[in-house]
């Protein structure tokens, strides 16, 4: 759906939580004298027998990539330092493809990662997988992954109702091997390639969880990613969970919201669950926030030198108008999920319950190169309606709910070469309480098949379903639970826009 003054964002890179934009780059670039130093140096790392045509193609790739980077990166690039760094990387280069393009592509990828965790070089095959990920369908196991500081494959979040979720994989698990192949030090693209395959074929993941290491074998499935599920809680509270933002998320959300409004005559509240949502398409996140807002700024973007780029304004408010709202966040909520939560709160629409979010507030563009492949480049920051930036800070909940068994978890600011924090929202939580203090029996009527339903169907005899204490806390906000004590503090602040 087009928004006033906004071109639609076409693609997003799920594995890095990034809302992205696909744009055409400038025409062909030719090497400068400075760039020639690298182009002379990398030839010694190439397999013998490479043709002059192959070298010319790779030379053009490096020169064009550096030109695009210099013009579009969020900070001004020191070209000499970038070239020096590229040359230094040749000594420790890890790549199986030692063709000219393979070597140059590997150097570009490492050099871009040294700028920030989300910038990268993309091969043509990676572009194809990128498009699959945003169309909401692919064949695999169903997890969002990233690299940690030790170049290990880290699970950011299992996708609801997928083999990975049903196998019990968790955020912050590390994948050390795939079908016995050592993955430490391998790029994300290699992990994705090995986990994708034919539907029904098994794949064995070796998981490192804190001090434990174990194998999990799952069968690959067609991941028709249902990014939205919904329920009715205690007969009069609407619940909608958005697990990611892709091209189909808005339609799914509207369908469930219509059903919830039809089924609940006098809603006591609406809960929007964005926990473990790694982000995705910025347009989708803004459109879904707009379902609950009459007017006001949803999110804006700014580039190099704090230059304002685009803004997304609310103009819809079709659903649950004036109904009290709680938004659930956790440490795995990133990018679009953080921006949607901030937009709803800063427009006085709802309170945030849960944990401080991940803290990814940068935006990336996917830029095809005429010489093949393309670049994913960080080009700016997202800003909230009150002109805060979540980069490095995350979104602070109004009411923090802590889990007793919560493990240490890397957020954006902990990633190697993370961009620095900027313009922090000064809000602090009004209260902090343990999730177990909220536990209460709630009645849940599910409107769609969810991962929790599948979990309950596959429980061994005598096992109890996993309790969602944070959700129970949020339900208690609307009735006589522990959080109800804070309603009189929070609601006036919302109405005042504070």
């Amino acid at each position: 759906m087009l928004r006033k003054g906004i071109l639609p964002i076409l693609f997003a890179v799920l594995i890095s939580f990034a809302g992205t934009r696909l744009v055409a780059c400038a025409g062909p670039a030719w090497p400068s004298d400075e760039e020639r130093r690298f182009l002379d140096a990398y030839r010694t790392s190439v397999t013998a027998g490479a043709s002059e045509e192959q070298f010319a193609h790779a030379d053009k790739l490096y020169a064009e990539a550096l030109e695009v980077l210099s013009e579009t990166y969020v900070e001004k690039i020191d070209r000499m330092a970038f070239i020096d760094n590229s040359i230094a990387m040749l000594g420790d280069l890890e790549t199986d493809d030692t063709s000219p393009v393979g070597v140059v592509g590997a150097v570009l990828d490492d050099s871009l990662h040294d700028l920030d965790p989300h910038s990268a070089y993309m091969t043509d095959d990676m572009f194809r997988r990128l498009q699959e990920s945003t169309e909401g369908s692919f064949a695999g196991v169903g997890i969002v992954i990233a690299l940690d500081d030790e170049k290990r494959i880290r699970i950011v979040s299992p996708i609801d109702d997928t083999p990975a979720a049903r196998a019990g994989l968790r955020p912050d698990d590390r994948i050390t091997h795939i079908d016995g192949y050592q993955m430490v030090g391998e790029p994300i693209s290699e992990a994705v390639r090995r986990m994708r395959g034919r539907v029904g074929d098994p794949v064995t993941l070796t998981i490192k969880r804190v001090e434990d290491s174990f194998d999990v074998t799952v069968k690959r499935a067609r991941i028709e990613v249902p990014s939205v599920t919904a329920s009715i809680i205690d007969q009069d509270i609407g619940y909608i969970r958005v697990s990611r933002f892709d091209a189909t998320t808005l339609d799914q959300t509207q369908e469930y919201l219509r059903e919830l409004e039809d089924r609940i005559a006098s809603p006591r509240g609406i809960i929007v669950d964005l926990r473990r949502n790694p982000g995705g398409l910025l347009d989708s996140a803004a459109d879904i926030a707009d379902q609950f807002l009459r007017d006001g700024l949803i999110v804006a973007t700014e580039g190099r030198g704090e230059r304002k780029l685009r803004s997304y304004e609310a103009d819809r408010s079709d659903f649950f108008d004036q109904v009290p709202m709680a938004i659930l966040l956790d440490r795995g909520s990133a990018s679009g999920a953080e921006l949607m939560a901030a937009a709803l709160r800063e427009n006085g629409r709802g309170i945030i319950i849960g944990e401080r979010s991940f803290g990814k507030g940068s935006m990336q563009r996917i830029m095809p190169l005429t010489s093949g492949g393309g670049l994913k480049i960080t080009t700016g920051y997202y800003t909230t309606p009150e002109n805060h930036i979540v980069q490095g800070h995350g979104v602070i909940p109004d009411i923090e709910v802590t889990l007793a068994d919560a493990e240490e978890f890397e957020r954006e600011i902990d990633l190697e070469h993370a961009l620095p924090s900027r313009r922090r929202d000064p809000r602090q939580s009004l209260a902090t309480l343990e999730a177990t203090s909220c536990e209460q029996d709630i009645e849940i009527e599910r409107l769609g098949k969810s991962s929790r339903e599948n979990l309950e169907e596959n429980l061994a005899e005598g096992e109890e379903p996993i309790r969602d204490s944070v959700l129970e806390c949020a339900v208690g906000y609307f009735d006589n639970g522990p959080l109800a004590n804070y309603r009189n503090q929070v609601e006036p602040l919302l109405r005042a826009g504070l």
Side-chain angles (χ1 to χ4, degrees), residues 266-291:
S266 299
R268 187 156 40 108
I270 175 76
I271 298 172
V272 178
D273 192 347
L274 300 177
R275 291 175 295 173
R276 303 182 303 282
N277 181 325
L281 295 173
L282 177 61
D283 243 17
S284 176
D287 273 329
I288 293 166
D290 197 5
Q291 305 306 304

Side-chain angles (χ1 to χ4, degrees), residues 298-491:
I298 296 174
V299 64
T301 63
E302 68 178 35
R304 186 183 297 180
E306 300 187 9
R307 180 170 59 90
K308 296 300 180 184
L309 300 176
R310 293 176 174 84
S311 63
Y312 295 69
E313 298 282 343
D315 59 6
R316 187 171 292 110
S317 186
D318 290 337
F319 300 101
F320 287 91
D321 193 26
Q322 302 299 311
V323 174
M325 174 186 290
I327 305 113
L328 305 188
L329 287 185
D330 69 3
R331 61 188 72 184
S333 306
S335 193
E338 298 174 280
L339 300 170
M340 176 177 167
L344 293 173
R345 176 170 66 185
E346 293 180 16
N347 280 288
R349 186 61 190 85
I351 70 157
I352 298 174
I353 297 172
E355 297 180 301
R356 178 168 65 90
S357 61
F358 184 79
K360 181 189 177 295
S362 63
M363 65 177 184
Q364 285 70 43
R365 286 185 179 180
I366 305 300
M367 313 189 78
L369 301 174
T370 62
S371 46
L375 304 181
K376 176 163 70 80
I377 298 179
T378 298
T379 58
Y381 295 94
Y382 304 120
T383 64
T384 71
E386 295 176 359
N387 204 30
H388 305 306
I389 294 178
V390 303
Q391 173 66 24
H393 306 298
V395 175
I396 303 297
D398 298 296
I399 302 173
E400 183 180 19
V401 180
T402 62
L403 301 171
D405 58 349
E407 300 169 357
E408 290 296 318
F409 185 86
E410 288 183 338
R411 289 183 166 86
E412 170 79 9
I413 200 63
D414 301 315
L415 301 180
E416 189 175 12
H417 306 300
L419 293 170
S421 303
R422 300 175 61 186
R423 299 211 303 270
R424 176 176 184 168
D425 184 343
R427 286 181 178 81
Q428 298 295 322
S429 298
L430 294 174
T432 300
L433 67 160
E434 293 185 1
T436 52
S437 69
C438 299
E439 290 183 350
Q440 59 178 321
D441 291 331
I442 59 177
E443 176 186 329
I444 301 177
E445 179 188 354
R446 296 176 179 84
L447 305 186
K449 192 171 182 61
S450 69
S451 58
R452 181 176 289 272
E453 283 183 303
N454 288 324
L455 176 62
E456 292 174 353
E457 291 168 1
N458 290 286
L459 286 173
E461 186 175 353
E463 281 189 294
E464 292 294 326
I466 296 173
R467 187 151 209 157
D468 191 342
S469 302
V470 177
L471 176 59
E472 292 166 17
C473 282
V475 172
Y477 177 81
F478 297 112
D479 54 34
N480 59 355
L483 295 193
N485 298 328
Y486 303 102
R487 273 205 310 267
N488 292 337
Q489 299 178 51
V490 173
E491 296 298 332

Side-chain angles (χ1 to χ4, degrees), residues 124-139:
D124 289 331
D125 186 54
M126 292 173 71
F127 270 110
R128 179 184 57 80
R129 291 199 298 269
L130 168 67
Q131 185 169 6
E132 286 180 352
S133 72
T134 58
E135 289 173 349
S137 174
F138 57 89

